[in-house]
Amino acid sequence: MPTYKFKYFNARGFGEVSRLLFALAGQEYTDERFTQETWPAEKPNVLLGQMPVLEVDGAAYGQSSAIARFLARRFNFYGSGDIQALEVDQVLGVVQDIINAMIKAFYEKDEARKAQFMTENKEEKLPLYLGMLEKLLVKNGSTGFFVGKSITLADVTVFDICDKIQAMVDFDKFPQVKKCRESVASNPKVKKWVDTRPVTEN
């Protein structure tokens, strides 16, 4: 059996999708967390100089999206066949658009521009992207999942981003996204992880 170590900050951030996949799969792994104080000493030893890092049987790999996709394929959360994988990937693309919009606002140093970006995100961009996700869920038959009738990486990724943007969104306006979020949250393995994971600010 392969051994896994997942290295990331003591935060959800770009690491939580992978942790959720480990939880869903019931796969044991080492969840190694770093703080702003311990990270500088570790950084020179990290493959790409950034986290997260996944070690599989001692070999290290980087990039959060690559790690999540690998785990989803390995644990059978990437759909069945090329078409379902494509359906997963199109959801990941929409979520990446959401992340890009949020990051642009987060890192803006000019307070006036930051406020403008945040307003645009709340009033325009988030409704636009969530509307796209809503359409994809309807297209799949309003099952509560993006692909077929069971959880895939697409659902886990949307669950995670919804957690991060919930203060800015009225999910009652996006009932299918809300249903998907609830479908993931009600999974016993996900629920156990969310109830017991370390409490972090983000």
Side-chain angles (χ1 to χ4, degrees):
M1 294 291 290
T3 60
Y4 302 95
K5 178 184 287 188
F6 187 71
K7 297 182 176 182
Y8 191 59
F9 297 107
N10 186 34
R12 295 187 299 278
F14 290 109
E16 198 64 11
V17 169
S18 291
R19 293 184 184 127
L20 285 162
L21 289 168
F22 275 120
L24 268 172
Q27 174 64 54
E28 292 186 5
Y29 71 106
T30 301
D31 184 12
E32 188 170 356
R33 295 172 180 246
F34 295 86
T35 65
Q36 295 301 325
E37 290 73 33
T38 61
W39 166 236
E42 177 69 12
K43 185 174 182 178
N45 305 319
V46 172
L47 178 66
L48 301 178
Q50 60 186 19
M51 292 198 288
V53 169
L54 175 68
E55 292 184 5
V56 184
D57 293 332
Y61 306 91
Q63 290 293 333
S64 58
S65 61
I67 292 168
R69 284 177 164 90
F70 165 77
L71 293 176
R73 286 192 294 268
R74 175 153 287 196
F75 301 150
N76 298 314
F77 295 114
Y78 221 121
S80 176
D82 291 343
I83 294 299
Q84 287 198 347
L86 175 61
E87 291 173 339
V88 170
D89 284 338
Q90 68 180 349
V91 174
L92 302 187
V94 176
V95 172
Q96 188 60 53
D97 288 339
I98 294 174
I99 292 170
N100 292 344
M102 299 302 293
I103 286 176
K104 181 179 179 181
F106 182 80
Y107 284 107
E108 175 58 53
K109 298 188 184 306
D110 183 275
E111 291 302 320
R113 284 175 60 82
K114 179 189 284 284
Q116 177 186 347
F117 291 151
M118 292 295 287
T119 299
E120 288 176 356
N121 286 345
K122 183 174 182 179
E123 297 180 358
E124 300 174 21
K125 292 188 176 181
L126 289 180
L128 171 66
Y129 297 134
L130 288 168
M132 293 179 184
L133 296 176
E134 193 82 359
K135 289 179 181 178
L136 293 175
L137 286 160
V138 170
K139 182 183 177 184
N140 191 47
S142 302
T143 63
F145 303 104
F146 283 98
V147 180
K149 297 180 180 179
S150 60
I151 292 179
T152 65
L153 174 59
D155 309 298
V156 174
T157 303
V158 168
F159 173 81
D160 180 62
I161 196 66
C162 285
D163 184 48
K164 294 177 170 67
I165 64 173
Q166 60 183 340
M168 301 177 68
V169 176
D170 178 2
F171 284 103
D172 288 336
K173 295 180 179 179
F174 305 97
Q176 297 304 320
V177 174
K178 182 179 179 180
K179 182 178 179 180
C180 177
R181 188 183 185 194
E182 292 170 349
S183 295
V184 178
S186 64
N187 179 281
K189 291 179 179 178
V190 170
K191 186 177 187 306
K192 180 180 179 181
W193 169 249
V194 171
D195 287 346
T196 61
R197 67 187 174 186
V199 176
T200 58
E201 291 184 1
N202 54 59

